[in-house]
Amino acid sequence: MVEVNIYDNTVVRSERMFNTSREQLVNRLVKDSYIKSDIVKKAFLTIPRENFVPEYLKLQAYVDRPLEIGKGQTISAPHMVAIMCEALDIQKGQKILEIGTGSGYHAAIVSQLAGEKGHIYTIERFEDLAKTAEQNLKNTDITNVTVVVGDGSEGLKKYEPYDRIYVTCAAPSVPNPLIDQLKDHGKLLTPVGSMYCELQLTEKKGQEIQSKDLGGCVFVPLVGKYGH
Ligand code: SAH
């Protein structure tokens, strides 16, 4: 008699379904030029977005839009994560700061770009979200991301300076502490505005601070000392 383990079969089938949906989404992001480099493409193919959304939304994990993660917050749309990764030009071994951990998905993608010699510090103001993000990262076997609870609008002085800093919520203006905590030749990406905002790339070159707008976007607000 052949015994069929129905549970295992279901798990294998849903894993295949997620893998196929992930590949389809990545192909779309490449076709639409959100993903431009092989390294970003590989990161998106490696990280399972279904691990970072609540159970009841897993079937929507590969729809290209933000999804609720609790506390009125959202996991960013994949195309926005791709735009930010390409703009930051992350190199292996870099030390990176993320403001707004949310689900941990964006940090997980960036962890692949920085490689095992790199490290991501990510700060979240809601302790519940930080705990869930930590668990999501653990379930995904990510070991180079540290989640911290606090007001990220002030940056994270403990581990400064950073090669790259990015904010995943809309700030009223680029917070000064983030510029201070950036290394020389570092890059900082901030959505500036209130919900509807401009993605602003700031580069530090000695005493000179250069900024350019990369286009419109929509984010939940940055709150806190340098927030709304
Ligand atoms: N990067 C996330 C998307 C997060 S949404 C992901 O991949 O899922 C933005 C997050 O920023 C929210 O979780 C919100 O709680 C957080 N946030 C807003 N203001 C903050 C602040 N001052 N410090 C830390 N986190 C903040």
Side-chain angles (χ1 to χ4, degrees):
M1 194 178 87
V2 182
E3 274 189 44
V4 178
N5 183 332
I6 293 175
Y7 176 72
D8 279 354
N9 258 343
T10 311
V11 170
V12 168
R13 256 188 282 140
S14 67
E15 209 177 292
R16 266 198 219 131
M17 183 197 74
F18 282 130
N19 290 345
T20 307
S21 306
R22 190 178 315 116
E23 280 165 27
Q24 285 171 346
L25 173 68
V26 170
N27 289 341
R28 265 253 319 282
L29 295 175
V30 170
K31 192 165 158 274
D32 295 343
S33 299
Y34 293 118
I35 292 180
K36 298 180 199 297
S37 60
D38 285 345
I39 181 169
V40 172
K41 180 177 177 185
K42 191 166 171 226
F44 271 79
L45 286 172
T46 306
I47 300 299
R49 192 170 186 250
E50 68 272 20
N51 286 11
F52 294 86
V53 300
E55 201 60 44
Y56 77 100
L57 288 173
K58 284 200 190 300
L59 288 177
Q60 295 179 50
Y62 292 101
V63 180
D64 187 15
R65 58 175 155 86
L67 297 170
E68 288 172 15
I69 53 169
K71 301 280 179 199
Q73 307 303 316
T74 51
I75 174 174
S76 306
H79 74 271
M80 190 44 67
V81 178
I83 289 172
M84 292 177 76
C85 287
E86 294 291 0
L88 277 176
D89 185 29
I90 292 159
Q91 306 293 317
K92 296 274 182 220
Q94 286 187 329
K95 184 165 51 154
I96 298 170
L97 175 64
E98 176 187 63
I99 315 301
T101 315
S103 66
Y105 176 72
H106 198 153
I109 294 277
V110 170
S111 81
Q112 304 299 292
L113 307 178
E116 52 195 31
K117 294 211 171 90
H119 202 93
I120 323 304
Y121 295 93
T122 175
I123 181 159
E124 170 57 52
R125 72 184 182 106
F126 286 115
E127 194 171 353
D128 286 4
L129 293 184
K131 274 195 188 139
T132 305
E134 223 165 24
Q135 192 57 51
N136 295 341
L137 290 159
K138 197 169 168 206
N139 294 343
T140 313
D141 296 326
I142 307 283
T143 53
N144 59 343
V145 176
T146 302
V147 181
V148 176
V149 177
D151 178 5
S153 77
E154 297 185 71
L156 184 59
K157 263 193 104 42
K158 188 169 177 192
Y159 303 106
E160 64 159 337
Y162 303 96
D163 297 289
R164 301 286 186 268
I165 302 179
Y166 63 96
V167 185
T168 68
C169 28
S173 58
V174 178
N176 275 333
L178 301 188
I179 298 175
D180 294 343
Q181 292 171 28
L182 199 58
K183 277 188 197 170
D184 195 16
H185 290 95
K187 292 179 201 277
L188 158 64
L189 205 50
T190 319
V192 177
S194 49
M195 205 162 113
Y196 296 100
C197 36
E198 286 284 331
L199 194 57
Q200 199 165 313
L201 181 67
T202 309
E203 292 187 65
K204 196 180 201 176
K205 289 177 181 160
Q207 296 303 318
E208 208 185 318
I209 306 293
Q210 297 174 346
S211 282
K212 66 176 170 197
D213 279 343
L214 302 184
C217 51
V218 179
F219 277 93
V220 297
L222 174 80
V223 297
K225 191 169 173 193
Y226 294 85
H228 286 287

